[in-house]
């Protein structure tokens, strides 16, 4: 396996991984705080942190006393954000969106490139050109960028860097990490786009500090990323979290997967648009136009969005009842029409969430595609600091 397909983390031991990850996501933290929260000795924290201090990934802040009259001052450990940069790219059906992020996943530069088609060779060439554009913007970035995350919709084998199936792109068994790494000279990790966004939210967003966190996305598909016990859930076959293919109506419309009544067949943007076109007889109707028809009072189109909201609410409830997350974030481009199905989402959730599970708050966060690219960068950062999951 080539180096571009097997990124090696900086941390060589579980203690080093834990220390580095906690400082990255929740720091600055003192050695005493790290020892207490991780359940290890202060000496173990010092030993784990020393190589990262020597390499410049961590630094000590000025000494401070934890309280008046307390013992000797402590020097909290903090990440050095500009020690290294990571590229993140989100691939859609018609464009690639790229960002350069520092080690706190703060975006330093971004760029877009249109895709004339979704052929793997076209996407590869576009990705390579996009990377050059991003790195040419600042000489500092080129000298400090070694890793890249790529986020793609569908079934992704992250370990092998292969897109097993992406209906949106029309791909099956496409080796992406190897060719992209060869074309760019970067260490490349490929991840499902919803899982990548979940990593970003868990490490750097609303999920910071939680061991159990869920992200649901509403748009071209209905996706879900699940963190349980502090780890992103992949499952035995890498497709954990596919709530878009939970059946909520056994007699409902046929899904693109071949099953009937899936959440995606009712609530994905194309599903809503397709049914709205049949109802109105307008073959060129767009999602935005369908939403405007609903807002202007069209009862048939309003009903489509209501059905979508109920389906999404049931999908969210299924996740909450099964996994029991502490927090759940709902995002995605479909939230442009959130006002049309918010009531139904919350009603379905309130009705079907079991017992204390209903206490899990729903946070609504519309995120632009740059944030999805940032998610890809977050996956790259994750591989830098923690072992890749199998």
């Amino acid at each position: 396996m080539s180096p571009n397909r097997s990124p090696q983390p900086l941390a060589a031991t579980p203690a080093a991984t834990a220390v580095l990850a906690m400082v990255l996501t929740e720091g600055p933290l003192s050695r005493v705080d790290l020892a207490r929260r991780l359940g290890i000795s202060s000496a173990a924290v010092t030993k784990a942190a020393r190589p990262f201090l020597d390499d410049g990934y961590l630094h000590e802040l000025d000494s401070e006393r934890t309280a008046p009259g307390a013992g000797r001052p402590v020097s909290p450990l903090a990440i050095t954000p500009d020690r290294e940069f990571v590229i993140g790219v989100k691939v859609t059906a018609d464009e690639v969106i790229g960002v350069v992020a520092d080690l706190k996943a703060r975006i330093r530069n971004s760029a877009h490139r249109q895709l004339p088609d979704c052929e793997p060779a076209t996407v590869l060439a576009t990705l390579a050109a996009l990377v050059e554009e991003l790195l040419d913007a600042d000489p500092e970035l080129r000298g400090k960028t070694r890793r890249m995350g790529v986020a793609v919709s569908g079934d992704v084998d992250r370990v092998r860097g292969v897109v097993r199936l992406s209906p949106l792109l029309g791909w099956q068994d496409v080796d992406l990490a190897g060719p992209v790494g060869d074309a760019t000279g970067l260490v490349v990790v490929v991840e499902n786009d919803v899982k990548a966004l979940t990593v970003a939210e868990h490490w750097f967003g609303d999920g910071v500090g939680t061991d159990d966190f869920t992200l649901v996305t509403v748009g071209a598909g209905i996706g879900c990323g699940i963190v349980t016990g502090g780890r992103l859930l992949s499952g035995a076959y890498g497709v954990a979290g596919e709530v878009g293919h939970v059946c909520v109506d056994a007699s409902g419309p046929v899904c693109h997967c071949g099953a009937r009544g899936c959440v995606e067949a009712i609530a994905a943007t194309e599903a809503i648009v397709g049914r709205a076109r049949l109802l109105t007889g307008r073959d060129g109707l767009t999602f935005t136009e369908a939403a405007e028809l609903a807002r202007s009072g069209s009862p048939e189109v309003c009903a489509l969005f209501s059905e979508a909201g109920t389906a999404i609410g049931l999908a969210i409830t299924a996740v909450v009842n099964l996994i029991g997350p502490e927090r759940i974030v709902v995002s995605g481009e479909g939230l442009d029409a959130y006002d049309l199905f918010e009531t139904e989402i919350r009603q379905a959730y309130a009705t079907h969430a079991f017992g204390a599970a209903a206490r899990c708050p729903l946070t609504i966060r519309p995120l632009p595609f740059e944030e999805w690219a940032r998610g890809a960068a977050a996956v790259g950062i994750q591989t830098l600091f923690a072992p890749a999951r199998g």
Side-chain angles (χ1 to χ4, degrees), residues 370-386:
E370 282 81 4
E371 290 296 317
W372 292 71
R374 176 176 176 263
V379 172
I381 294 168
Q382 187 182 57
T383 65
L384 180 64
F385 288 104

Side-chain angles (χ1 to χ4, degrees), residues 299-325:
E300 297 88 355
V301 180
C302 274
L304 294 180
F305 283 95
S306 294
E307 290 172 21
T310 298
I312 295 165
L314 291 173
I316 293 171
T317 305
V319 174
V320 170
N321 286 346
L322 285 170
I323 306 299

Side-chain angles (χ1 to χ4, degrees), residues 81-82 85 99-102 105-110 138 140-141:
D82 60 355
F85 298 96
V99 302
V100 181
D102 66 18
R106 297 178 301 202
I107 296 175
R108 285 282 300 262
N109 188 22
S110 65
D138 185 340
E140 179 190 22
L141 300 181

Side-chain angles (χ1 to χ4, degrees), residues 358-370:
R359 290 160 50 189
C360 176
L362 296 184
T363 299
I364 310 303
R365 286 197 61 197
L367 297 171
F369 274 131
E370 282 81 4

Side-chain angles (χ1 to χ4, degrees), residues 5 36 83 136 171 246 342-343 351:
R5 302 189 194 193
R36 175 179 54 81
R83 171 62 176 80
D136 282 345
W171 289 4
V246 170
E342 176 182 9
T343 298
T351 301

Side-chain angles (χ1 to χ4, degrees), residues 59 129 194 218 234 306 309:
H59 63 276
V194 176
V218 178
S234 179
S306 294

Side-chain angles (χ1 to χ4, degrees), residues 37-273:
R37 295 177 62 176
L38 294 173
I40 60 179
S41 68
S42 294
V45 171
T46 297
K47 181 179 179 180
R50 175 48 55 193
F52 308 124
L53 287 164
D54 292 342
D55 287 344
Y57 286 93
L58 294 180
H59 63 276
E60 291 182 313
L61 300 181
D62 292 338
S63 298
E64 59 183 36
R65 293 187 183 275
T66 56
R72 65 179 185 178
V74 298
S75 299
L77 298 177
I79 288 290
T80 307
D82 60 355
R83 171 62 176 80
E84 190 165 329
F85 298 96
V86 178
I87 288 178
V89 175
K90 157 71 172 169
V91 180
T92 76
D94 52 18
E95 68 174 340
V96 290
I97 304 98
V99 302
V100 181
D102 66 18
L103 295 181
K104 294 290 285 183
R106 297 178 301 202
I107 296 175
R108 285 282 300 262
N109 188 22
S110 65
H112 293 231
R113 286 198 173 223
Q114 294 298 307
L115 284 172
D117 59 66
C118 293
E119 289 298 316
T122 303
V123 174
L124 174 61
T126 306
L127 283 174
L130 182 69
V131 168
E132 287 301 304
E133 180 181 349
L134 289 167
L135 296 181
D136 282 345
D138 185 340
E140 179 190 22
L141 300 181
R142 184 175 292 278
K144 292 184 176 182
T145 302
R146 298 186 297 122
R147 301 189 181 224
M148 174 179 179
V150 181
V152 181
S153 70
D155 177 5
V156 175
D157 183 338
R158 173 168 160 174
V159 173
R160 294 194 300 133
V162 172
V163 181
R164 289 186 289 222
L165 180 66
S166 177
L168 181 68
L169 300 177
W171 289 4
Q172 185 168 358
D173 294 325
V174 173
D175 180 4
L176 196 59
V180 172
D182 292 340
T184 62
L186 301 174
V187 174
V188 177
V189 60
V190 183
E191 181 60 282
N192 166 270
D193 55 355
V194 176
K195 287 184 171 67
L197 189 60
T198 303
V199 169
E201 286 299 297
H202 183 228
W203 279 39
F204 303 107
D206 281 2
V208 169
T210 65
D211 284 334
D212 300 284
F213 171 75
T214 297
L215 174 83
V216 173
T217 58
V218 178
I222 309 298
C224 179
I226 299 168
V227 174
T228 181
R231 293 180 63 84
L232 183 67
L233 186 64
S234 179
Y237 304 101
V239 293
E242 286 290 342
V243 297
H245 298 287
V246 170
C247 177
V248 292
D249 182 0
S251 61
V254 176
C255 182
H256 62 80
C257 74
R260 186 177 289 276
C262 294
V263 177
E264 278 194 12
I266 298 168
T269 53
E270 285 304 309
I272 295 172
V273 170

